[in-house]
Amino acid sequence: MKTWNYRVFRETNGDCIIREVFYAKDGSIFGCTENAVAPSGESLEELAADIESFKDALKLPVLTLADLSVGNMNEKWQQEENSNICLPEITAELGMRESSALN
């Protein structure tokens, strides 16, 4: 399962921004958003929770894009994508009978 969180990045001009960072199963970074992200939510509570997640990013080490290896990230992404399991495999592994969504 892929996981993500917000992380602070120092840009080449010295500015600090927050990006979403995505992690491989082994905990290593395999990607991030190209641009900065902003807090959002469908309610005040969701917005407040998102702002707290942004605050959590301030407690982690600051990253730069130079810290991330694009080639390595692409390779990890492919490995993660290839590890998906289709529904028939899951139902077989669990010993279940696959039911039709049309029934």
Side-chain angles (χ1 to χ4, degrees):
M1 181 175 158
K2 298 180 184 98
T3 59
W4 68 276
N5 65 357
Y6 295 121
R7 295 291 298 266
V8 176
F9 280 76
R10 183 163 314 276
E11 300 294 272
T12 55
N13 65 3
D15 288 350
C16 290
I17 65 167
I18 293 183
R19 290 186 167 97
E20 293 174 341
V21 171
F22 305 95
Y23 299 90
K25 289 179 184 175
D26 65 3
S28 61
I29 295 173
F30 75 85
C32 69
T33 54
E34 181 177 355
N35 298 311
V37 293
S40 64
E42 293 183 9
S43 67
L44 286 176
E45 292 79 15
E46 286 183 8
L47 178 60
D50 206 35
I51 290 171
E52 288 303 316
S53 295
F54 270 63
K55 288 181 182 179
D56 290 342
L58 300 174
K59 300 172 189 171
L60 300 171
V62 175
L63 300 172
T64 67
L65 288 177
D67 294 332
L68 310 180
S69 167
V70 175
N72 193 27
M73 289 189 301
N74 288 335
E75 180 181 315
K76 287 182 183 179
W77 175 258
Q78 290 301 321
Q79 289 172 356
E80 292 287 319
E81 286 298 304
N82 292 333
S83 66
N84 291 340
I85 300 173
C86 65
L87 180 59
E89 290 175 6
I90 291 172
T91 55
E93 187 172 323
L94 295 174
M96 300 172 60
R97 183 174 58 96
E98 187 176 344
S99 63
S100 171
L102 300 174
N103 289 340

